[in-house]
Amino acid sequence: MDINIILAGVGGQGILSISAVIGVAAMEHGLDVKQSEVHGMSQRGGAVVSHLRISDQPIFSSLISMGEADMILSVEPMELLRYKPYLKKDGFLISNTKTVVNIPNYPEEQVLFAAIEKYPNRVLLDAETLAKKAGNVRAANMVMLGAAADHLALEPSYLEEAIKHIFERKGERIVQLNLDAFNAGREAANQYLATV
Amino acid sequence: MKQFLLGNEAIAQGALDAGLSGVYAYPGTPSTEITEYIQRSKTAIERNVHRKWSANEKTAYEEALGMVYAGKRAMVCMKHVGLNVAADPFMNSAVSGVNGGLLVVVADDPSMHSSQNEQDSRFFGKFAMIPILEPSNQQEAYDMTRYGFELSEKFKIPVMLRTTTRLSHARAIVELQEKISENQLNPPPTSCSDFVLLPSNARGRYEHLLKLQEKLREQSDQSPFNEYVEGSDHSLGIIACGIACNYLEENVRKFNLKYPYLKIREYPAPKHQIARIFEECEQILMLEEGYPMLEELIIGYFRKVKVIGRLSGEVPRTGELNPFLVARSLRIELPESETTPELVENRPPRLCVGCGHADLFNELNVLTDHILGRRIFSDIGCYTLGALPPFRAIDTCIDMGASITMAKGASDAGVHPAIAVIGDSTFTHSGITGLLDAVYENSNITVIISDNSTTAMTGGQHSIATGKIADICRGIGVEEAHLKVIIPLKKNLDENIAIIQKEIDHKGVSVVIAQRPCIQI
Ligand SMILES: Cc1ncc(C[n+]2csc(CCOP(=O)(O)OP(=O)(O)O)c2C)c(N)n1
């Protein structure tokens, strides 16, 4: 079993908390995991990406090769398309629909979404709104993780355990908030797939 | 016990578990998280391991040297260009030797993700003639800190641990070893002259360093980190260094390759193993993350065997490696990769909304835009982003501190106005001495210290002279009448412009401190 995931977003959106949960879940269940991150200059509002690899065999490279990603999970829609060359032919795209427009030449939303909707294997959702409903916009990351949960070849319950483990220090309420956001994302993704 | 650690965290945890007594560092991507991890570590707090930031890499290095002089184990961490700053103590400590283990961790940044150049620190290690360790994965990063301290104490010289961005900033599962306790205090006896590098002593110490080289080579040939892997197809042999070993292994497994290969993770390079691969193979491919350092050395040495790599073009001359580039250099047929959809635009880093630097740049632009050939000398930090649109407010960024000194040199040449823009942490890193030069000659320059009370670019580390910048300027002789503090806010625009204009008109050194805390702290 091998899963390669590209996580994308804009510096400051905190994509690393998504990969931390997946990484811990995989490790706790005896799998090998490697994850590359971006620290430094790009974190100031630039494009950021994290490569996450999970396998039941030893993994060597922490970077994914072109055409080898099973999934691109993006918290920003234009960033989703930036890494399209990494996706396998039948790979899966999951994206937040909320744009971050911090450049003057950001594409028109209509054109952007038309380009994304060309790919059949996709889930699009408004993570901020779902997170707000769950209790806090800042849990938007966990909504995105939830949306991916049924497509990671990891039991979603493993991810829930990892969320508990990672947020434990911050108290019961924060754990519950993140679990709620996770489940909201999961539900929304399944609904999306049922209607597309 | 297993943990999911960044390469940098593995180094930090490895050092703590190997009896570290102090980490010394100045932040710099991709090295910063090593020290930050130790600052947060419960163990480090309980043991009172030294873990505060230093003013710059040189002071950090010398402080670490003092700790190992006293017999304890210390680690000094920096990014690659930091070693340029620390080069003086670095080169000389190889001559003096050390008393407790000294690990010099240098994180290189090939592809320049967050740096001014992609210099390869292995050259520095070779220059100083000390052992270099170059982990290929996070487990090795962890294990090598312990091994590095042991080597350092065995040969009584500093040991370099070289990482690169993709190792420092990737997470993997790391198995921790048993903890060992710290060294006892044990400074050398007062009669020891090893640390007094007067020429008469230094000559002897240098002879000693040269004699040690053969021993280091033997060590490297037997190192657990240098490994010859047999193969049945001798049409090609591969020498891979550091993280390139990983990309090679990935391809060996995926494409079932049968070439012999040599994995190098300790230097000086293992002579016998290299000779062996040259004897056994018809052609050698060199895979190095960084400059073609070994490739250049080897190419002329074994003339009969063709060497391919970065110099011959099979591997790109610049930038970091990845599994894809390594596959290509192995002549593996790969499908054409797609290109990114055209509508995707570049998204470069930028100043945050509400950043004080931005207001300062607006003021400077209003002030100087009309000056033909205007030059603003600047420096390294978040404010370097002021070189990009929409500001285009600064014209230079070379190395930490160069804003003030370049403005002075330009002023010496007759440039007016000669304006320098520097951040608070950069000022204390390397700006103070340059300002002293200007004060000494009363140079006609205007220095603007954009003081956001933090080291923002690298993630908001404590800036060690917060609240003392004006006093430092006073202390080195900046005249009170030309030392101004402004608050860069839109509502103060006109007032600030008037103040800066007056200081530009003043014939002599002026300092304007633009003070507004970073919105991230
Ligand atoms: C010799 C050297 N050491 C470290 C760095 C990394 N570095 C670049 S910018 C920076 C922080 C500068 O802080 P400051 O001057 O306060 O500016 P700010 O980012 O806060 O605006 C550091 C540590 C470097 N480029 N060169």
Side-chain angles (χ1 to χ4, degrees):
Chain A
M1 183 270 279
D2 284 305
I3 319 165
N4 293 326
I5 306 163
I6 300 266
L7 286 143
V10 177
Q13 284 190 307
I15 59 170
L16 294 183
S17 57
I18 303 178
S19 42
V21 175
I22 305 176
V24 166
M27 177 174 80
E28 295 292 326
H29 290 86
L31 299 169
D32 198 11
V33 206
K34 281 209 167 163
Q35 175 203 329
S36 85
E37 308 181 351
V38 172
H39 296 249
M41 201 131 174
S42 314
Q43 284 179 305
R44 294 271 163 275
V48 290
V49 63
S50 166
H51 293 204
L52 183 66
R53 308 186 68 195
I54 303 171
S55 176
D56 52 7
Q57 301 296 314
I59 302 167
F60 290 92
S61 168
S62 55
L63 295 175
I64 299 169
S65 280
M66 295 290 176
E68 306 242 304
D70 299 281
M71 177 191 295
I72 305 176
L73 176 59
S74 182
V75 287
E76 205 282 343
M78 184 179 80
E79 295 308 317
L80 175 80
L81 291 182
R82 187 182 306 282
Y83 304 100
K84 183 65 192 29
Y86 283 92
L87 196 67
K88 277 185 186 162
K89 282 235 146 32
D90 51 355
F92 215 78
L93 297 174
I94 299 184
S95 181
N96 189 4
T97 51
K98 176 91 184 298
T99 56
V100 175
V101 183
N102 63 356
I103 49 170
N105 47 352
Y106 194 93
E108 272 183 47
E109 286 205 8
Q110 233 183 342
V111 180
L112 176 64
F113 285 105
I116 294 173
E117 279 162 10
K118 275 204 311 221
Y119 305 105
N121 291 339
R122 63 163 196 277
V123 169
L124 296 175
L125 44 85
D126 178 347
E128 271 75 9
T129 306
L130 288 165
K132 232 182 264 169
K133 268 196 214 147
N136 194 329
V137 207
R138 292 180 57 190
N141 282 335
M142 292 302 115
V143 172
M144 293 308 301
L145 175 64
D150 288 299
H151 312 278
L152 292 175
L154 276 178
E155 285 290 325
S157 66
Y158 295 180
L159 296 169
E160 290 189 323
E161 281 167 37
I163 291 175
K164 285 181 200 155
H165 177 79
I166 286 175
F167 292 100
E168 207 173 28
R169 278 180 301 139
K170 299 190 177 165
E172 190 76 5
R173 245 198 52 226
I174 302 288
V175 171
Q176 197 52 51
L177 164 72
N178 282 289
L179 286 174
D180 290 347
F182 173 83
N183 285 316
R186 215 178 141 194
E187 222 167 89
N190 288 331
Q191 259 171 29
Y192 186 92
L193 285 170
T195 52
V196 172
Chain B
M1 192 176 53
K2 280 181 182 173
Q3 287 191 353
F4 189 46
L5 298 177
L6 279 182
N8 280 346
E9 296 173 343
I11 292 169
Q13 187 64 49
L16 284 170
D17 293 349
L20 181 80
S21 295
V23 64
Y24 293 88
Y26 180 74
T29 315
S31 72
T32 314
E33 299 78 14
I34 305 171
T35 307
E36 288 181 329
Y37 183 90
I38 295 174
Q39 290 173 341
R40 285 194 312 266
S41 151
K42 260 203 212 123
T43 317
I45 296 166
E46 275 163 23
R47 271 189 0 219
N48 199 20
V49 171
H50 177 275
R51 57 190 182 278
K52 285 224 154 72
W53 295 109
S54 301
N56 65 38
E57 293 85 354
K58 179 176 183 286
T59 63
Y61 196 103
E62 291 155 351
E63 287 151 14
L65 188 60
M67 183 167 266
V68 303
Y69 177 91
K72 303 223 172 185
R73 288 185 168 183
M75 180 161 77
V76 51
C77 310
M78 60 198 79
K79 69 183 291 166
H80 56 345
V81 289
L83 188 53
N84 298 337
V85 177
D88 206 1
F90 174 70
M91 294 300 295
N92 291 314
S93 63
V95 178
S96 69
V98 299
N99 201 31
L102 176 57
L103 203 58
V104 184
V105 183
V106 192
D108 289 357
D109 189 19
S111 284
M112 302 180 231
H113 298 280
S114 299
S115 306
Q116 313 103 289
N117 73 29
E118 57 173 28
Q119 67 186 63
D120 184 332
S121 299
R122 294 177 304 161
F123 277 91
F124 252 127
K126 187 170 152 37
F127 193 24
M129 292 187 258
I130 61 169
I132 308 166
L133 304 175
E134 193 188 8
S136 72
N137 59 41
Q138 288 67 12
Q139 183 68 53
E140 286 174 7
Y142 176 88
D143 296 337
M144 277 178 172
T145 51
R146 180 165 306 203
Y147 177 73
F149 281 130
E150 286 164 4
L151 273 192
S152 174
E153 285 172 4
K154 177 173 173 188
F155 296 108
K156 292 193 157 294
I157 50 171
V159 169
M160 175 187 283
L161 180 74
R162 183 230 188 196
T163 81
T164 50
T165 305
R166 296 299 180 180
L167 185 85
S168 283
H169 287 168
R171 253 172 227 284
I173 299 171
V174 176
E175 181 81 47
L176 307 191
Q177 297 181 39
E178 205 176 307
K179 290 186 177 30
I180 54 176
S181 46
E182 293 181 35
N183 290 356
Q184 295 297 316
L185 193 64
N186 180 30
T190 44
S191 60
C192 167
S193 58
D194 294 358
F195 289 86
V196 187
L197 293 182
L198 278 168
S200 54
N201 294 338
R203 286 183 202 112
R205 291 302 305 164
Y206 184 50
E207 285 291 342
H208 170 77
L209 178 61
L210 291 177
K211 277 207 199 100
L212 230 126
Q213 298 305 303
E214 200 40 51
K215 292 204 181 102
L216 298 182
R217 264 192 293 272
E218 275 167 27
Q219 173 83 29
S220 167
D221 254 314
Q222 290 152 16
S223 167
F225 297 110
N226 289 336
E227 185 185 349
Y228 194 98
V229 182
E230 319 244 354
S232 53
D233 183 350
H234 293 224
S235 62
L236 183 72
I238 304 139
I239 298 178
C241 303
I243 202 169
C245 299
N246 250 340
Y247 302 143
L248 175 63
E249 293 276 11
E250 172 99 8
N251 281 293
V252 165
R253 298 237 171 356
K254 190 150 74 185
F255 300 105
N256 199 17
L257 306 178
K258 300 286 182 220
Y259 307 123
Y261 54 95
L262 171 58
K263 301 206 289 185
I264 298 181
R265 285 153 294 177
E266 178 175 337
Y267 311 76
K271 218 163 141 182
H272 295 298
Q273 292 177 342
I274 292 178
R276 179 174 166 202
I277 202 164
F278 271 86
E279 268 161 32
E280 288 185 3
C281 301
E282 289 158 33
Q283 207 179 58
I284 300 292
L285 169 66
M286 297 293 309
L287 296 174
E288 298 178 80
E289 181 80 321
Y291 289 8
M293 182 179 94
L294 281 189
E295 192 177 335
E296 271 180 352
L297 273 180
I298 283 169
I299 219 164
Y301 210 82
F302 301 90
R303 281 190 191 281
K304 277 189 233 134
V305 179
K306 192 173 169 210
V307 175
I308 56 175
R310 289 201 188 259
L311 294 173
S312 63
E314 265 80 1
V315 182
R317 181 63 183 80
T318 63
E320 62 184 6
L321 299 174
N322 59 43
F324 186 82
L325 290 175
V326 168
R328 227 174 45 188
S329 72
L330 288 161
R331 310 214 172 106
I332 293 164
E333 292 281 336
L334 296 168
E336 265 308 298
S337 61
E338 276 183 54
T339 51
T340 302
E342 239 170 68
L343 62 95
V344 177
E345 298 290 348
N346 272 341
R347 196 193 295 265
R350 61 205 310 274
L351 291 177
C352 306
V353 176
C355 173
H357 294 318
D359 283 295
L360 174 69
F361 289 136
N362 287 334
E363 287 159 11
L364 282 175
N365 279 342
V366 173
L367 249 170
T368 59
D369 258 354
H370 62 279
I371 303 174
L372 206 64
R374 147 209 111 141
R375 291 282 178 274
I376 294 186
F377 300 90
S378 193
D379 232 299
I380 309 190
C382 277
Y383 52 94
T384 313
L385 296 170
L388 305 175
F391 304 104
R392 295 185 200 280
I394 61 166
D395 304 288
T396 72
C397 160
I398 305 289
D399 68 284
M400 293 192 76
S403 56
I404 299 179
T405 34
M406 281 181 72
K408 177 190 177 293
S411 160
D412 293 344
V415 170
H416 183 78
I419 301 171
V421 175
I422 187 170
D424 51 312
S425 182
T426 305
F427 179 67
T428 45
H429 177 288
S430 287
I432 301 172
T433 44
L435 182 59
L436 186 58
D437 281 352
V439 167
Y440 175 58
E441 293 185 46
N442 198 22
S443 309
N444 192 9
I445 66 170
T446 308
V447 176
I448 299 175
I449 303 175
S450 194
D451 177 8
N452 58 4
S453 305
T454 190
T455 317
M457 180 91 276
T458 45
Q461 295 76 21
H462 188 237
S463 180
I464 68 173
T466 297
K468 300 188 190 118
I469 303 278
D471 280 343
I472 290 173
C473 295
R474 263 180 218 114
I476 60 173
V478 175
E479 284 174 38
E480 195 65 46
H482 299 288
L483 178 60
K484 298 280 157 63
V485 177
I486 63 172
I487 297 174
L489 275 173
K490 229 192 218 125
K491 61 172 190 190
N492 300 342
L493 184 86
D494 293 335
E495 187 190 344
N496 290 345
I497 286 176
I499 293 171
I500 300 172
Q501 183 65 57
K502 235 169 120 188
E503 295 312 325
I504 289 173
D505 294 341
H506 165 65
K507 287 212 164 40
V509 177
S510 315
V511 175
V512 179
I513 303 171
Q515 227 162 34
R516 206 175 117 200
C518 172
I519 59 154
Q520 303 276 0
I521 55 173

